[in-house]
Amino acid sequence: LIRKIFIKQGLLIGVIGTVIGNILAFLVSFMLERYKIISLPEEIYYIDKIPIKITPEIFLIVSASTIIITFLATLYPSQRASKLNPSQVLRNE
């Protein structure tokens, strides 16, 4: 029971973080692509702005990787928490 709670909470935090991160990444990428916020010296780099390419595949790959890593990161703490006796932990605090 405790293990499931830890995994669900960890995944919930991971999914929320991934969604917020994707929204921010899309907005920043869109702003950089549309407006020339960061300019480069053309005589050095042969281009005048940072090239940005927004592709759904990259967002999906990064999102899936993030959620998998989040799930893997919840396994060890959930394993440790499942071995604890809740009444003993509450008495010691």
Side-chain angles (χ1 to χ4, degrees):
L1 179 67
I2 292 175
R3 184 178 179 133
K4 286 182 183 180
I5 292 171
F6 266 72
I7 290 173
K8 285 180 184 178
Q9 288 296 313
L11 282 174
L12 180 66
I13 291 168
V15 168
I16 290 171
T18 301
V19 169
I20 292 171
N22 279 342
I23 292 169
L24 289 174
F26 181 78
L27 290 174
V28 169
S29 298
F30 179 76
M31 296 294 286
L32 286 172
E33 185 179 37
R34 181 159 178 127
Y35 305 106
K36 192 175 169 181
I37 296 173
I38 300 173
S39 61
L40 301 172
E42 209 171 335
E43 59 275 359
I44 297 175
Y45 295 104
Y46 304 112
I47 54 176
D48 61 343
K49 66 178 184 171
I50 297 176
I52 303 287
K53 184 176 181 181
I54 303 171
T55 58
E57 297 88 20
I58 298 297
F59 276 91
L60 288 174
I61 291 170
V62 171
S63 297
S65 300
T66 304
I67 292 171
I68 289 169
I69 291 169
T70 302
F71 172 72
L72 293 174
T74 62
L75 292 179
Y76 180 70
S78 68
Q79 175 71 25
R80 294 281 306 234
S82 68
K83 292 180 180 179
L84 296 175
N85 184 354
S87 61
Q88 290 290 346
V89 172
L90 292 173
R91 274 191 216 134
N92 290 335
E93 294 296 321

